[in-house]
Amino acid sequence: MLVLSRKIGEEILLGDDIRIVITRASRSRVSLAIDAPLGVAVRRSELSRATLKEFVGAVVPDRDAGVLDDKAPLPA
């Protein structure tokens, strides 16, 4: 795992098409702006598959193809 220190307004680049910008920071909280292509799923890790199904419907599409089932790991 890479650990970085960034100041407000500074960016982190992932590959050629994902950009993360630090927009606000306090002692215990950081706000990020994430700019990614539409095909890239961006979500908080605490959202479980059950919660996603609740909000999106019975079938949650996988970003690569197919659908998620309850036993498969969430896509990265």
Side-chain angles (χ1 to χ4, degrees), residues 36-41 63-64:
L38 289 177
V40 175
R63 69 167 186 209
D64 296 323

Side-chain angles (χ1 to χ4, degrees), residues 9-25:
E10 292 183 331
E11 301 178 353
I12 299 167
L13 301 174
L14 301 176
D16 293 329
D17 54 357
I18 300 174
R19 183 173 62 116
I20 301 170
V21 181
I22 311 309
T23 59
R24 194 174 353 167

Side-chain angles (χ1 to χ4, degrees), residues 52-63:
L52 287 173
K53 286 182 180 180
E54 214 173 278
F55 288 108
V56 178
V59 176
V60 180
D62 184 318
R63 69 167 186 209

